[in-house]
Amino acid sequence: MASFPAAHRAIPSMRTPPHRTLALGVLLLVGTAASAAPEQVHYALIVASNTGTEKGQAPLRYADDDGARYYELFAPRSREVVLLSVLDADTQALHPGLAAKTRPPTHAALDDALARLNGRMAQDRARGQVPVLSFVFVGHGKRGAAGEGAVSLLDGPLTRTALFSRVLTPSKASFIQLIVDACDSYFFVHSRGALPVGPAYAEAVKGLLGGRELERFPQVGVVLSTSSEQESHEWSAIRSGIFSHMVRSALSGAGDVNGDGRVDYPELRAFVAAASQGLDDVRGQPRVYIQPPALDRAFALTDQGKAAALGYLLVPTGLEGRLWVEDSRGIRQVELHKERERPLVLSLPVGRGYHLRGPGKEAAFTLTHAAQVVDAGGLPWRESTVAARGAVEDAFRDKLFSVPFGQRFYRGYMASFGLTPPSEEADAALAP
């Protein structure tokens, strides 16, 4: 496992108060504690399409934007990232040069990308490395008459059968992270039966998906936006799907509840639950299904200790409340509701300016080079205003991320499922 860059390791010696170096010190342990473990190498295949293949499916507005942002999330962390999408004019303007790196989301392009990545991952395994593939789909989904789920490519649906036969079965990845933000995404992975609600939902989540195809793939973890026949929701204020925005925020460090520099599946599940808890209207409240790979239930979706090409924003103890980070393009990169007691580190792309914002306030900062660390506790704040955008926009703005996320929420959330947090030892590192 790669250690943090030298510039990051030097931070604790810069006369910063101990409570502000604490989170960084914990992250440094990530780079050294498991140095003898086989090296993980990461790949990502992102399929994002605004277009549906079924009659009556209105085009989505921001699936291509989500695809571009997933590309930016995974690119600094991966050996290779493939984006299959058709970016509209607005998205191309926000992500100049990215369109030249994309191919249309067709069956042929998908098969070509899988073949190339499988070739590279087979070579990795021969060298004793551990290849990890993140397979992301954002777009339309549909449950057919026979109950089989499918997602829409430009030239036809990709069914659950095809997912297992063309993506999972031939994969050379040691681990696969399957992230699907689409209507009826639960049925794209699972063969029968809706996921129940209420107490029965908790029991289902604790199980190992008995009798279903996914059991044959213990190396696969799943992150699904809807657990039943629900619509996925987009929010025009951030040009993104709500669920994908939550996932990217968590994987950028906001979901790291125990300060070990990693975000695992239980942390992501709890983060999404906290972020969406304030949405009383069920039409806007995501029902998610997040399940770690059975092969390693503590497997991390992301590890900041491996991302040497990123910069870091340290949000120290004492800074609390709803916060979000927007870059110079106006793209909201990360959003969270921080508990006062826990410090955290957010990883962000370098070479651009940012604003850390909260209700009525903002602070500007810039990340110019890899491994740079900016301490949010030392940033000068100024007043700012947020324009109203209408009733629906106000509901998302006011109620998303309205619940603080940290140790208190995480432990209570896990306890509600009768589960013990998988990384209790890491929690001790945050104690003064």
Side-chain angles (χ1 to χ4, degrees):
M1 181 183 296
S3 62
F4 256 42
H8 201 176
R9 293 197 301 270
I11 290 298
S13 65
M14 295 176 62
R15 295 186 179 181
T16 305
H19 70 281
R20 291 182 182 168
T21 64
L22 182 59
L24 293 177
V26 172
L27 285 175
L28 299 183
L29 298 178
V30 177
T32 58
S35 58
E39 179 190 4
Q40 287 186 9
V41 288
H42 288 256
Y43 299 87
L45 174 53
I46 303 160
V47 184
S49 179
N50 286 331
T51 304
T53 56
E54 296 288 330
K55 291 182 179 179
Q57 287 181 323
L60 297 171
R61 297 178 62 188
Y62 304 121
D64 58 330
D65 291 86
D66 279 320
R69 294 187 202 179
Y70 274 117
Y71 183 95
E72 291 187 346
L73 174 74
F74 286 112
R77 300 167 164 86
S78 305
R79 182 166 289 180
E80 182 178 352
V81 179
V82 177
L83 174 59
L84 304 182
S85 187
V86 177
L87 308 181
D88 64 24
D90 290 339
T91 306
Q92 291 189 35
L94 289 170
H95 304 269
L98 183 56
K101 302 176 183 179
T102 67
R103 291 185 61 188
T106 63
H107 284 271
L110 176 63
D111 289 339
D112 288 348
L114 288 168
R116 184 173 73 256
L117 294 178
N118 280 330
R120 297 198 66 178
M121 291 189 292
Q123 295 174 353
D124 296 332
R125 297 187 75 157
R127 289 190 291 263
Q129 296 173 317
V130 178
V132 178
L133 174 66
S134 295
F135 183 85
V136 181
F137 178 86
V138 186
H140 273 295
K142 183 69 176 177
R143 187 187 184 194
E148 181 176 32
V151 295
S152 295
L153 303 183
L154 280 184
D155 53 352
L158 177 70
T159 65
R160 184 186 65 247
T161 298
L163 169 72
F164 281 86
S165 64
R166 290 163 53 189
V167 180
L168 302 186
T169 298
S171 180
K172 303 302 180 183
S174 298
F175 289 92
I176 300 175
Q177 304 184 149
L178 182 62
I179 302 173
V180 183
D181 187 356
C183 310
D184 284 349
S185 59
Y186 180 78
F187 299 102
F188 182 52
V189 174
H190 300 295
S191 60
R192 60 185 183 277
L195 194 66
V197 297
Y201 173 81
E203 293 301 316
V205 171
K206 288 193 292 184
L208 286 176
L209 307 176
R212 292 172 178 170
E213 295 96 327
L214 201 59
E215 276 194 330
R216 298 188 290 113
F217 300 91
Q219 77 278 24
V220 176
V222 293
V223 178
L224 309 179
S225 63
T226 58
S227 57
S228 62
E229 298 182 47
Q230 288 186 300
E231 297 179 355
S232 295
H233 294 271
E234 297 183 310
W235 185 15
S236 61
I238 58 173
R239 296 182 58 89
S240 174
I242 297 298
F243 178 73
S244 283
H245 177 55
M246 293 176 182
V247 170
R248 290 191 300 267
S249 294
L251 300 191
S252 296
D256 178 18
V257 75
N258 60 13
D260 66 354
R262 297 152 46 93
V263 178
D264 60 26
Y265 286 77
E267 286 176 324
L268 174 60
R269 199 167 76 202
F271 180 86
V272 172
S276 58
Q277 185 165 304
L279 290 173
D280 299 325
D281 186 343
V282 295
R283 293 171 298 174
Q285 189 174 51
R287 288 174 55 198
V288 304
Y289 190 90
I290 299 175
Q291 178 81 18
L295 190 62
D296 181 0
R297 303 186 70 79
F299 190 81
L301 287 112
T302 189
D303 188 334
Q304 295 191 79
K306 298 176 183 176
L310 293 165
Y312 302 92
L313 177 67
L314 169 61
V315 188
T317 301
L319 189 55
E320 62 181 323
R322 185 173 179 179
L323 302 167
W324 61 95
V325 178
E326 289 185 4
D327 65 17
S328 55
R329 301 168 296 180
I331 293 177
R332 193 173 303 192
Q333 294 278 349
V334 184
E335 190 162 3
L336 67 149
H337 193 132
K338 181 180 172 296
E339 283 186 351
R340 180 180 181 85
E341 296 83 0
R342 72 171 182 127
L344 61 87
V345 176
L346 303 177
S347 55
L348 298 164
V350 299
R352 64 186 65 163
Y354 292 94
H355 282 86
L356 175 62
R357 290 195 164 100
K361 62 181 181 179
E362 64 181 14
F365 66 98
T366 303
L367 291 173
T368 60
H369 57 273
Q372 180 183 357
V373 179
V374 171
D375 183 352
L379 295 177
W381 292 85
R382 65 181 184 185
E383 291 185 0
S384 66
T385 59
V386 178
R389 297 174 179 266
V392 175
E393 301 294 351
D394 287 346
F396 281 133
R397 184 193 65 201
D398 295 339
K399 295 184 178 181
L400 276 174
F401 299 94
S402 62
V403 175
F405 178 70
Q407 285 288 350
R408 290 193 297 274
F409 183 93
Y410 179 67
R411 291 183 184 280
Y413 179 81
M414 295 295 285
S416 71
F417 289 92
L419 301 175
T420 300
S423 46
E424 291 284 358
E425 293 182 1
D427 296 342
L430 286 177

